[in-house]
């Protein structure tokens, strides 16, 4: 007989059907003559209740079933007498696929801390919280491809191993097959990369943008959705060393078109989650509410998870220049009272996530797009404004998160781009192909990067980025 998924069983309106289900035991409860097993197969947050009559023959088998065991159950669907579910399964034949020794199995039917679950990331998919998070992660992946596909964008696979530093921040993991115990040296004592696998120094990419730009110069509208790697030593709840990024790149778009697309995409994705991940979101909403109760009054959220998602869909984002933002921050009470860890003193300083969150959560009380940043704090490829001081950058700032998107209009003028590359001491010889697109049929163009796990933090309301990617990579941690 073919297995039916529990999500489909729970949706069905007819009873008395003989079906086969498979899954993992969440709880087992035995009363005098009946045993109730809550079975979950990950197709939904909800469990299917299995009802087993406790006969003498059955007792031996039942004694072997514990939380975490996997079962295959042939049974008949019956209308449930208990509240909370419409249908349950009257067991005809239970079969244990794999036992879980209760003395060793670390997951028990109680709330475990997220920190503990991170240490058993190989098993945490079996909890309500993580199965909900990863179903939503899948839904968001699908929705991203759907969004761009419906708009006629082409998905481009950009290289993971590169010879250039797209962001110019020097935070790269090196890729080499040289023997690091015995590096080959040139006559002047430097490492001889001509002997390395690619004949040059290579790294894991920090961004697919530069290659996406090349593709946009022929296909007009493209996007990447791939892993990116950053060796920045930021042990925060918002940074990963390996994360996934969505990077659309569009020919003929200026900064305003770029902002419009970013706003439309974020609202589309949040709306998609509200419409397609309802049960999981409701579970996470309640979970967060309970978590909030543990916090002091002044640190609690002003909105519940679902309310916050609905709010973002319903409200236009504020669009503000960096210069305006600095004025607001400088004159804010928080700054005057010394409440920022990094006080805002002058124009030109980079914004910290505390400043970004202040603007979003306290000042504008909605998502904010900041534009026209000082060129010194932004990457070489951003289009220079006429003032000579700022570039046409745009960062989208979200409640709870801070920066969720970073993007810009790109410098399409060959001379200006070359000057900036030289000013910033970026090796020109590594950039010849990028520069050539500005020599041959250059056009105004723009793009941005959405950090996928930052989006996941927002949509799920989880507080730590390590809990929205299956196997997080962070400083001193590459387990699993
Ligand atoms: O602002 P970033 O560095 O921009 C770029 O990489 C551009 N090449 C994007 C583009 O214009 N095509 O990174 C983009 C986004 C950030 O806004 C943030 O959401 C996310 O990537 N991000 C990280 N997410 C998790 N861990 C990290 N260490 C991250 N660094 C950036
Ligand atoms: Mg950025």
């Amino acid at each position: 007989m073919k297995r039916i998924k529990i999500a489909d069983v729970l949706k069905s309106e007819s009873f008395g059907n003989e079906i086969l289900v498979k899954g993992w035991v969440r709880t087992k409860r035995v009363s005098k003559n009946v045993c109730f097993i809550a079975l979950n197969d990950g197709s939904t947050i909800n469990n299917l209740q299995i009802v087993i009559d406790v006969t003498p023959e059955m007792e031996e088998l039942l004694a072997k079933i514990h939380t975490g065991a996997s079962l295959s159950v042939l049974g008949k669907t019956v209308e449930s007498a208990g509240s909370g579910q419409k249908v349950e399964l009257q067991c005809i034949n239970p079969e244990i696929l794999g036992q879980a020794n209760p003395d060793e199995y670390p997951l028990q039917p109680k709330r475990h801390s997220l920190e503990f679950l991170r240490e058993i990331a190989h098993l945490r998919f079996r909890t309500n919280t993580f199965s909900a998070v990863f179903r939503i992660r899948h839904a968001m992946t699908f929705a991203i491809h759907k969004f761009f596909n419906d708009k006629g964008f082409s998905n481009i696979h950009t290289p993971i191993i590169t010879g250039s530093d797209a962001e110019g921040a020097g935070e790269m993991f090196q890729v080499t097959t040289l023997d690091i115990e015995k590096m080959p040296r040139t006559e002047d004592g430097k490492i001889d990369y001509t002997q390395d696998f690619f004949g040059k120094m290579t790294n894991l990419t920090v961004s697919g943008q530069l290659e996406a730009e090349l593709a946009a110069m022929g296909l007009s509208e493209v996007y990447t959705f791939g892993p990116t790697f950053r060796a920045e030593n930021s042990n925060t709840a918002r940074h990963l060393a390996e994360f996934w990024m969505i990077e659309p790149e569009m020919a003929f778009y200026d900064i305003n078109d770029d902002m419009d697309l970013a706003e439309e995409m974020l609202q589309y994705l949040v709306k998609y989650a509200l419409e397609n991940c309802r049960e999981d979101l409701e579970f996470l909403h309640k979970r967060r509410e309970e978590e909030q109760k543990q916090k002091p009054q002044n640190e609690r959220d002003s909105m519940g998870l679902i309310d916050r998602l609905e709010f973002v869909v319903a409200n236009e984002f504020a669009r503000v220049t960096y210069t305006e933002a600095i004025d607001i921050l400088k004159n804010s009470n928080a700054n005057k009272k010394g409440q920022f860890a990094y006080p805002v003193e002058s124009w030109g300083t980079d914004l910290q996530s505390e400043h970004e969150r202040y603007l979003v959560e306290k000042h504008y009380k909605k998502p904010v797009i900041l534009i026209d940043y000082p060129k010194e704090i932004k990457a070489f490829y951003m289009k220079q404004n006429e003032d000579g001081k700022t570039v046409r950058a745009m960062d989208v700032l979200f409640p709870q998160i801070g920066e969720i998107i970073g993007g810009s209009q790109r410098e399409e003028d060959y001379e200006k781009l070359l000057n900036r590359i030289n000013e910033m001491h970026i090796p020109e010889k590594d950039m010849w192909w990028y520069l050539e697109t500005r020599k041959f049929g250059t056009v105004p163009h723009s793009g941005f990067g959405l950090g996928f796990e930052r989006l996941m933090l927002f949509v799920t309301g989880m507080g730590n980025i390590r809990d929205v990617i299956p196997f997080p990579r962070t400083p001193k941690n590459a387990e699993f």
Side-chain angles (χ1 to χ4, degrees), residues 250-263:
M250 297 77 62
F252 319 114
Y253 275 47
D254 67 13
I255 188 76
N256 291 313
D257 303 323
D258 204 31
M259 288 192 278
D260 291 345
L261 184 73
E263 182 166 343

Side-chain angles (χ1 to χ4, degrees), residues 118-132:
R118 242 170 260 153
E119 289 168 15
I120 51 163
H122 58 307
L123 298 172
R124 66 179 179 170
F125 296 102
R126 301 185 193 187
T127 64
N128 281 333
T129 300
F130 286 96
S131 63

Side-chain angles (χ1 to χ4, degrees), residues 187-198:
E187 270 171 18
D188 53 3
K190 294 210 176 99
I191 293 167
D192 183 7
Y193 283 108
T194 60
Q195 295 189 41
D196 204 349
F197 189 92
F198 297 104

Side-chain angles (χ1 to χ4, degrees), residues 378 395 403 405-406:
K378 289 292 181 189
D395 278 8
E403 179 189 338
I405 280 181

